[in-house]
Amino acid sequence: MRRRPSGSAAEDEGEDGFSAASSTVASTAASPVGAQEEESQPDPDSAEESAKRQPPQRFGGKKVERVSGTEASPAASLRPWEPPTSTTASSGKRPKGMIPLAREIAIDKMPDPRVHRRSRPRSPWLCSLATLLTFSTTAVVLFTIVRSFLVRHLDVKGCRMPRMHPAYAELVDFDTEHTRFATKYSLYLYREVGIDDDDLKVSGVPVIFIPGNAGSYRQVRSIAAEAAYYFHNVVQHDPAAIEGGARSLDFFTVDFNEDITAFHGQTLLDQAEYLNDAVAYILSLYHDSRRSTRDSDLPDPTSVIVLGHSMGGIVARTMLTMPNYQSSTINTIITMSAPHARPPVSFDSDVVKTYKRINDYWRHAYSQKWANNNPLWHVTLISIAGGGLDTVVPSDYASLSSLVPETHGFTVFTSSVANVWTGMDHQQILWCDQLRRAVVRSLMEIVDVNRPGQTKLRVDRMRIFKKWYLTGMEGVVERTLPQKDPTTLLTLEDNSNSIISEDTRLTLRKFGQSRKPRAYLLPVPPQGGKKFTLLTDQRIDAPGESGKLEVLFCSVFPLHPGQSATLFSMNMDLSGDSSGSTRLACKNAATDVIPLPASTRTSKFPFEDTSPFFYLQYDLEDIVEHQFVAVVDKAVDPTSGWVVAEFTDNAESTIRTNIGLAQLLTVGMRMKLPSTRPMMVDVKVPALHSSLLAYELTVGSQACGDGELFTPLLRQYVSDPYESKYFVNVRQANINLHGIAPFMPPPLKARSSGNGLSLQFWFDPTCNASVDISLKVDIAGSMGKLPMRYRTVLAAFPLLVVALVLRTQFSVYDSTGVFMSFSEGTDLVIKQSLPIVLLALTFFSVSLARANSEPPKSGMTFNFLNWRENATESAVDFTRNDLLLGSQDPFFWFLVPLLGLVSAGVCVAVHYITLIITHILATIYGLLTTRPGWMRNDDKKRVAMAFAPSSPRRRIITTSILLFFVATFIPYQFAYMVACIVQIATCVRALHYAQETRSGAHFNFYNYVHSILIVMLWVLPINLPVLVVWVHNLAVHWLTPFSSHHNVLSIMPLLLLVETLTSGKMVPRLTTSLRYVTNTLFCFLAIYAAVYGVTYAYLLHHLFNFSAAWLVAVHLSNSTFSLSGLSRMLEGEDEADEPNKKRP
């Protein structure tokens, strides 16, 4: 017989099944460079001698005998190896506990080895050129994405640090008599040292702060401290505010022991239940005269204000859906960086189901026709998002457009808030000094202790919130001027030359040049289609203030003598000594002033601590009842300052472009603004609405000389959600937005076609020079927008590739008897099936995007009230963007092949990393183990070493104990992690024995367990979050078992499969139609991972678990099970001690 130098006795004596299958695979797949094959014909004489030495054996219940010169069965040459010359073998016995590796192989199904040539097993380290190119491309793409995410289109951080002196008083009376979670959670009352009283008596309006995922109760300190100082230094000294119901705020905060709510839905529900109990307890404090110092004439509070951060905002909304919620105890909720629209991760089924239940409750409540049927009619919900700097929760998820109508809430970004004008990360949004001032002032203004709810009416609350959080230029912001009565009597001398001619711009470069107050009158045009704009660097005075500038909207009012003092609170007489005069009844416009960031030659950022610009903007419909706009220069001495005011046509100030994404991507957008343009120009680009793209804007310079009033100022904005960004002294700007994002549910009210990106410019009109503007897509910068929107794709899409590889491996194994390596399977998938699958998924994504972009069918419309009466207009499918990559625009068809390619490359990387680790561990294992004494080395052969597992009795007992703990105490995710560790050990042992024996059967088994390990490693991240929550609960001594994740069937098949593999049993081949079941299972897993994996990632575990159940059934198909055999196993008898008995 001809032998290879590294060949084994097992190869020479009958492991031809490996050779036959290897040649078959070699014929169907390209062989890697460097692969070698040797041909060898079986030696009949050797086979005859071997047959004589072996007694008749039984395989699969059939007696197989070897006859000299012939074979009784093609599978006879594939019998399990037994040492031919050792004493143990000749006596028909083997060492106790040593179980042959390939016992479970369906030997009678193996092909005839005589008709195939023998080849060496392919090295698992080799890969094809296609795999290498895939990995290289993935590395380049990932490097570009990560670099763009870290260094390109980053918003500048502009928050200032606050100061506070916090103290926390624990309310120990809130114990187990009030809530069942008293031993796990705690309630505190915040006190600012030096401001608040030292005792624990409440005196103001209750506000409860809810920390977010792994958040601390101490995070309340910045906002609570600002509230204490603002009331102490300002509000309590304002009689009008006190009379209007303003009081101090009592901040309560909850210690959740840094619970991880984002990963566990039951923890979220537990917190909501505890908080409802806490609200009831807090309100009871105000009813107790011993615990409260409130005025007895005031009504007792019946509701609290809720302030939630991150997942705390979701807990706040959950409170209103819980059984222990007391009606109307919450009427105002303000959330910061809260993912309202969808869960941050979908690894836990409870989180996904809880989100769905909460959102469905809110949507159903606001779809009611009558207010009496809406349990949330009195609730206002404000969502504040940090923008691009928040890398913990995508700010797109903070949108409320799919949950709450505009009459009850809205979403706003911190960069839109006046005098904040900066983005914030996930933690900064809590302590940013500029934002906390705006939040506290809005809360103080909505408070009204004269009402039991402690706040103003919902309509008034919404008006106040819009005033404090929106820019003032949004269409939903109401102007106060039309609702006012004239308060100022302006008296001017007759025949005054202060009236500016119509269509003439008013420009003042200095104040006080007349050495006396002077009014400039701009006539209000009679026709529509115009707007009034005014910009100045000076503060616009309210009635009674003594600044430089006041703006009045006036009408001629012929008064009778003696009536001015009774009809008007202010009398401004600018007639001088003139005998004749004109009297105007005027309204002051100070309440409608919009602050803008100052833009000068020295300006760098909008959030700089400098005096802002002040801006007024009215549509002609808002001021048509007036005859003049009076710009009053009240300075009596020459002083610095400027003001520009004008009436402009809407057609001149608003430019709408019809450029599409494709054209913008190829040639960009260029326009030239004429020199006679208005001061404010609004450029609308409706096609730009995606959160996945970034842009570069260039503004040409204009020659103004030394007389320039201000440098160009830019406001980038979208109206859904309300996001505005300012760029001062703009020359170049990086434009990115939070518009239409992947996986986001559609809004309750359909978006209009013009809700794209808008660029609002303010130019110095005195320069009288044209300006060039160009806008183009920044491809490299757009790559950095993918991680936040598609970060969970890497937990789902790689399973598409892995499942396809397993399908290929099992298909080849069932046909040839060789279980190819994962590397070889990956090569075949990348060359054959993956391109076809990605092409099909690409067409599917395009069809989905087109279907989702169509308007709702008319037949789906409900007969509800119109939108302003707070009812949805049509039935909306809020899950229509859950599939695949959640794209709503066919333009992004390329994301499917791109992310599929990246996933394939990542799978290759994980595979080789696993190879490195297992080879290192196998080497260590080989050094720590000794060779059995019965092995022969004198003939330079290495025989097939036996896989030496623990006894069946021990495995059964261990598995049963683990399943018992899963059913009672530990979550099944813990058992899954244990299974992964055991599978790694099995893989290491299988690799060690395959390297020692160079046996085809052992390499088959190693490739099999390695592939199962790869799938388990990809499913592991889906199970880790819940495991982390469970470990955290143990760390805080909360030993109450989860009320979820104890389903034994969710882990039993996987445990049985892993335990079966520890015995060294190779999965039997399926040559019947049952092999299509394996194929179908892994195909279904692959397609589900791609289509639903991102939205419902937790189901990937259950699908793999179902596949494992099928593999266990296949393993048991060649085993004979009986109660007597199970009894012997439990009694500790090893089947090796009874060689004459049939082994199951």
Side-chain angles (χ1 to χ4, degrees):
M1 177 186 292
R2 203 175 105 198
R3 298 173 182 164
R4 290 174 292 188
S6 60
S8 67
E11 290 174 334
D12 295 335
E13 291 187 358
E15 295 189 1
D16 295 312
F18 175 78
S19 305
S22 299
S23 62
T24 303
V25 176
S27 66
T28 58
S31 300
V33 178
Q36 299 180 358
E37 297 183 354
E38 295 185 11
E39 296 186 2
S40 175
Q41 296 296 331
D43 189 345
D45 297 334
S46 299
E48 180 180 353
E49 294 175 2
S50 176
K52 291 179 180 179
R53 291 196 302 268
Q54 298 294 333
Q57 299 185 21
R58 289 183 180 269
F59 294 95
K62 296 181 180 181
K63 183 176 181 179
V64 181
E65 297 183 0
R66 286 191 178 269
V67 183
S68 177
T70 62
E71 284 186 315
S73 167
S77 62
L78 299 177
R79 66 189 182 282
W81 176 86
E82 296 187 50
T85 58
S86 66
T87 304
T88 306
S90 62
S91 63
K93 297 181 179 181
R94 60 180 181 274
K96 183 177 181 179
M98 299 298 180
I99 301 174
L101 172 65
R103 271 295 201 192
E104 292 297 318
I105 299 179
I107 299 175
D108 57 334
K109 303 298 183 182
M110 285 296 198
D112 187 350
R114 294 171 182 254
V115 298
H116 296 287
R117 63 181 180 177
R118 179 177 301 177
S119 67
R120 293 170 181 256
R122 169 174 168 170
S123 171
W125 298 100
L126 296 179
C127 66
S128 66
L129 180 61
T131 303
L132 184 61
L133 289 177
T134 299
F135 175 75
S136 302
T137 305
T138 298
V140 173
V141 172
L142 287 180
F143 175 79
T144 304
I145 290 175
V146 172
R147 185 177 182 276
S148 176
F149 178 72
L150 295 177
V151 302
R152 297 182 67 88
H153 284 262
L154 298 181
D155 296 335
V156 181
K157 296 182 178 181
C159 285
R160 294 187 288 270
M161 291 294 295
R163 293 184 179 182
M164 72 287 294
H165 301 85
Y168 308 90
E170 183 177 3
L171 302 180
V172 293
D173 291 341
F174 186 51
D175 51 20
T176 53
E177 294 183 2
H178 299 85
T179 178
R180 64 190 180 102
F181 297 100
T183 57
K184 183 180 182 181
Y185 303 141
S186 303
L187 182 65
Y188 290 85
L189 174 63
Y190 180 88
R191 284 292 181 252
E192 180 67 17
V193 177
I195 300 294
D196 295 318
D197 296 332
D198 295 334
D199 59 16
L200 300 182
K201 292 184 178 181
V202 293
S203 59
V205 176
V207 180
I208 188 168
F209 171 77
I210 308 175
N213 182 60
S216 170
Y217 69 98
R218 298 176 182 271
Q219 292 174 320
V220 72
R221 59 185 179 269
S222 59
I223 296 178
E226 174 64 21
Y229 282 106
Y230 182 65
F231 179 80
H232 182 268
N233 297 330
V234 179
V235 176
Q236 70 173 354
H237 304 295
D238 185 353
I242 298 298
E243 182 67 22
R247 293 294 187 275
S248 63
L249 302 178
D250 293 326
F251 274 88
F252 297 85
T253 180
V254 182
D255 182 10
F256 285 136
N257 289 311
E258 300 181 0
D259 260 349
I260 305 174
T261 50
F263 298 157
H264 194 230
Q266 187 58 47
T267 299
L268 190 151
L269 296 175
D270 291 347
Q271 290 187 1
E273 179 182 341
Y274 175 83
L275 284 166
N276 279 330
D277 295 336
V279 168
Y281 174 78
I282 290 170
L283 293 177
S284 68
L285 297 179
Y286 292 86
H287 302 165
D288 188 353
S289 60
R290 298 170 300 176
R291 307 293 298 273
S292 174
T293 59
R294 283 170 58 99
D295 190 344
S296 59
D297 295 334
L298 298 176
D300 293 330
T302 60
S303 67
V304 301
I305 299 172
V306 178
L307 185 65
H309 173 241
S310 186
M311 290 300 294
I314 310 304
V315 175
R317 288 179 48 225
T318 308
M319 294 170 63
L320 283 75
T321 68
M322 298 295 291
N324 66 332
Y325 171 69
Q326 298 181 12
S327 179
S328 301
T329 54
I330 297 174
N331 62 19
T332 302
I333 302 176
I334 298 179
T335 66
M336 299 179 174
S337 297
H340 291 286
R342 57 181 289 114
V345 291
S346 58
F347 295 164
D348 178 45
S349 61
D350 284 351
V351 168
V352 177
K353 294 175 182 177
T354 301
Y355 255 86
K356 184 180 185 305
R357 184 175 64 84
I358 297 168
N359 290 348
D360 287 347
Y361 178 88
W362 281 68
R363 289 165 182 155
H364 177 74
Y366 287 119
S367 67
Q368 298 303 307
K369 182 177 182 180
W370 305 108
N372 292 336
N373 297 329
N374 183 0
L376 304 178
W377 180 261
H378 63 288
V379 177
T380 54
L381 175 61
I382 308 299
S383 176
I384 304 175
L389 288 176
D390 190 346
T391 57
V392 176
V393 173
S395 290
D396 305 288
Y397 292 1
S399 174
L400 298 176
S401 60
S402 65
L403 299 169
V404 179
E406 293 179 355
T407 54
H408 288 71
F410 58 86
T411 304
V412 64
F413 284 71
T414 58
S415 56
S416 304
V417 182
N419 298 308
V420 178
W421 298 322
T422 180
M424 301 172 193
D425 64 30
H426 202 65
Q427 299 299 328
Q428 279 182 332
I429 201 169
L430 279 174
W431 56 258
C432 183
D433 185 58
Q434 301 100 300
L435 180 63
R436 69 167 187 163
R437 292 173 182 269
V439 171
V440 167
R441 281 152 181 75
S442 67
L443 290 178
M444 285 291 184
E445 195 165 340
I446 67 168
V447 164
D448 185 0
V449 294
N450 299 313
R451 296 172 51 85
Q454 302 299 289
T455 59
K456 292 180 170 64
L457 294 174
R458 176 184 55 82
V459 175
D460 296 329
R461 277 179 278 149
M462 288 299 300
R463 177 182 52 80
I464 293 170
F465 285 139
K466 290 175 182 178
K467 182 186 77 171
W468 281 103
Y469 296 140
L470 300 184
T471 63
M473 290 172 278
E474 294 83 359
V476 297
V477 178
E478 299 178 1
R479 299 292 186 265
T480 61
L481 189 69
Q483 283 77 39
K484 288 182 177 181
D485 293 326
T487 58
T488 302
L489 177 63
L490 178 62
T491 305
L492 303 175
E493 60 181 328
D494 289 340
N495 301 322
S496 172
N497 59 1
S498 299
I499 300 179
I500 308 298
S501 61
E502 189 173 347
D503 296 331
T504 301
R505 177 185 298 122
L506 170 66
T507 302
L508 296 181
R509 293 183 174 273
K510 286 186 178 181
F511 287 93
Q513 290 182 331
S514 300
R515 302 283 180 174
K516 63 178 182 179
R518 181 178 178 181
Y520 300 88
L521 301 182
L522 282 76
V524 175
Q527 69 272 19
K530 290 180 178 290
K531 66 176 58 176
F532 171 78
T533 57
L534 180 147
L535 184 65
T536 178
D537 64 343
Q538 301 297 313
R539 180 181 176 84
I540 298 178
D541 288 349
E545 295 182 344
S546 57
K548 300 179 183 179
L549 179 64
E550 190 167 347
V551 179
L552 304 172
F553 287 81
C554 306
S555 301
V556 176
F557 191 80
L559 287 174
H560 297 286
Q563 289 184 334
S564 61
T566 59
L567 294 178
F568 301 97
S569 58
M570 294 297 300
N571 189 356
M572 185 178 296
D573 189 353
L574 305 181
S575 61
D577 298 331
S578 175
S579 58
S581 61
T582 301
R583 296 177 177 86
L584 301 177
C586 303
K587 300 178 183 179
N588 188 282
T591 54
D592 290 332
V593 169
I594 302 169
L596 295 178
S599 181
T600 63
R601 288 294 179 186
T602 59
S603 300
K604 294 183 178 180
F605 305 109
F607 50 80
E608 293 175 347
D609 191 11
T610 58
S611 178
F613 290 170
F614 298 92
Y615 180 65
L616 282 174
Q617 177 176 306
Y618 291 100
D619 291 331
L620 189 60
E621 292 77 9
D622 296 329
I623 58 176
V624 68
E625 62 179 278
H626 305 285
Q627 295 173 301
F628 297 98
V629 179
V631 179
V632 182
D633 175 8
K634 299 194 295 183
V636 295
D637 294 313
T639 183
S640 61
W642 53 265
V643 61
V644 178
E646 63 181 358
F647 282 94
T648 58
D649 290 330
N650 291 330
E652 296 179 357
S653 60
T654 302
I655 301 175
R656 184 178 298 272
T657 63
N658 295 321
I659 188 172
L661 279 178
Q663 182 181 355
L664 188 67
L665 188 63
T666 53
V667 299
M669 182 189 76
R670 297 179 182 275
M671 65 174 56
K672 190 181 188 69
L673 300 181
S675 58
T676 57
R677 65 187 176 273
M679 174 183 62
M680 188 278 294
V681 178
D682 195 355
V683 179
K684 296 184 179 296
V685 192
L688 305 188
H689 49 64
S690 175
S691 299
L692 297 176
L693 294 178
Y695 313 92
E696 290 183 348
L697 175 72
T698 302
V699 180
S701 59
Q702 55 180 358
C704 282
D706 297 334
E708 185 179 41
L709 300 179
F710 61 96
T711 55
L713 172 65
L714 167 64
R715 173 194 171 222
Q716 162 216 325
Y717 72 95
V718 292
S719 57
D720 185 16
Y722 297 115
E723 180 186 23
S724 296
K725 293 182 181 179
Y726 292 93
F727 301 88
V728 298
N729 194 19
V730 61
R731 292 292 179 266
Q732 291 183 337
N734 293 326
I735 306 296
N736 54 81
L737 62 145
H738 295 82
I740 298 179
F743 303 109
M744 289 292 292
L748 293 174
K749 182 180 181 182
R751 294 184 176 93
S752 64
S753 58
N755 278 353
L757 175 69
S758 296
L759 303 173
Q760 190 173 10
F761 295 92
W762 287 270
F763 294 104
D764 184 353
T766 63
C767 294
N768 198 27
S770 60
V771 177
D772 294 323
I773 298 175
S774 65
L775 182 70
K776 63 180 181 179
V777 177
D778 183 1
I779 299 178
S782 300
M783 299 289 283
K785 304 304 173 186
L786 296 178
M788 288 304 297
R789 277 81 182 184
Y790 288 118
R791 55 185 178 180
T792 55
V793 167
L794 289 182
F797 249 57
L799 277 172
L800 163 69
V801 181
V802 174
L804 290 177
V805 172
L806 273 170
R807 186 200 67 85
T808 302
Q809 289 176 304
F810 275 97
S811 297
V812 173
Y813 174 65
D814 289 337
S815 301
T816 66
V818 167
F819 202 95
M820 63 173 63
S821 67
F822 194 86
S823 302
E824 192 173 358
T826 305
D827 291 343
L828 290 177
V829 167
I830 291 177
K831 293 176 182 177
Q832 298 175 5
S833 56
L834 186 61
I836 298 175
V837 172
L838 292 181
L839 181 62
L841 291 176
T842 300
F843 282 108
F844 182 51
S845 68
V846 172
S847 62
L848 281 177
R850 289 178 176 175
N852 293 339
S853 61
E854 294 179 357
K857 303 298 183 181
S858 58
M860 300 176 63
T861 303
F862 289 102
N863 293 322
F864 290 155
L865 295 179
N866 59 28
W867 180 254
R868 291 191 178 273
E869 293 178 348
N870 189 38
T872 55
E873 296 176 344
S874 62
V876 182
D877 181 11
F878 295 102
T879 63
R880 69 186 188 189
N881 298 324
D882 290 348
L883 303 182
L884 211 58
L885 297 181
S887 177
Q888 306 176 41
D889 193 336
F891 176 82
F892 297 102
W893 63 266
F894 58 87
L895 288 178
V896 173
L898 175 65
L899 294 178
L901 179 67
V902 170
S903 299
V906 172
C907 284
V908 172
V910 171
H911 162 61
Y912 280 101
I913 292 173
T914 307
L915 272 182
I916 294 173
I917 295 175
T918 53
H919 275 72
I920 293 175
L921 294 177
T923 302
I924 298 174
Y925 178 78
L927 296 176
L928 297 178
T929 56
T930 57
R931 191 172 303 166
W934 53 268
M935 289 190 62
R936 299 185 57 194
N937 297 316
D938 54 336
D939 58 352
K940 298 182 181 180
K941 296 180 180 180
R942 292 191 175 185
V943 298
M945 298 180 62
F947 219 73
S950 59
S951 65
R953 176 175 177 268
R954 180 178 299 177
R955 296 200 307 272
I956 292 175
I957 294 176
T958 303
T959 304
S960 300
I961 292 175
L962 190 57
L963 291 176
F964 172 76
F965 278 115
V966 168
T968 57
F969 181 67
I970 66 175
Y972 70 77
Q973 287 82 359
F974 179 83
Y976 184 86
M977 187 187 68
V978 173
C980 288
I981 296 174
V982 173
Q983 185 67 11
I984 292 173
T986 302
C987 193
V988 169
R989 292 165 58 213
L991 176 61
H992 170 69
Y993 291 137
Q995 291 174 337
E996 286 289 318
T997 62
R998 309 300 300 172
S999 164
H1002 283 82
F1003 275 109
N1004 272 357
F1005 181 72
Y1006 166 68
N1007 292 335
Y1008 173 46
V1009 297
H1010 177 80
S1011 297
I1012 296 298
L1013 174 62
I1014 293 296
V1015 188
M1016 294 180 69
L1017 291 179
W1018 277 111
V1019 178
L1020 181 61
I1022 299 175
N1023 291 282
L1024 280 180
V1026 174
L1027 183 60
V1028 170
V1029 175
W1030 181 71
V1031 173
H1032 174 268
N1033 282 356
L1034 294 181
V1036 299
H1037 306 292
W1038 181 253
L1039 305 181
T1040 302
F1042 284 170
S1043 59
S1044 58
H1045 306 291
H1046 293 292
N1047 188 352
V1048 174
L1049 296 180
S1050 297
I1051 195 62
M1052 179 184 291
L1054 280 166
L1055 291 182
L1056 294 178
L1057 177 62
V1058 170
E1059 284 297 328
T1060 301
L1061 297 182
T1062 60
S1063 65
K1065 298 177 182 179
M1066 183 62 186
V1067 62
R1069 293 171 55 203
L1070 297 175
T1071 57
T1072 64
S1073 58
L1074 288 177
R1075 67 180 182 271
Y1076 297 115
V1077 176
T1078 308
N1079 197 315
T1080 302
L1081 285 175
F1082 286 110
C1083 280
F1084 184 77
L1085 176 61
I1087 299 303
Y1088 184 92
V1091 177
Y1092 286 99
V1094 177
T1095 303
Y1096 305 100
Y1098 66 92
L1099 283 177
L1100 294 173
H1101 167 90
H1102 299 291
L1103 292 178
F1104 176 50
N1105 185 60
F1106 190 79
S1107 302
W1110 169 249
L1111 294 179
V1112 172
V1114 174
H1115 272 281
L1116 296 176
S1117 63
N1118 276 13
S1119 298
T1120 303
F1121 177 81
S1122 66
L1123 294 178
S1124 60
L1126 178 62
S1127 177
R1128 288 195 302 272
M1129 290 181 188
L1130 295 177
E1131 291 173 359
E1133 297 180 11
D1134 193 344
E1135 59 182 14
D1137 296 334
E1138 302 180 21
N1140 295 327
K1141 294 186 178 180
K1142 182 178 177 181
R1143 180 178 179 268

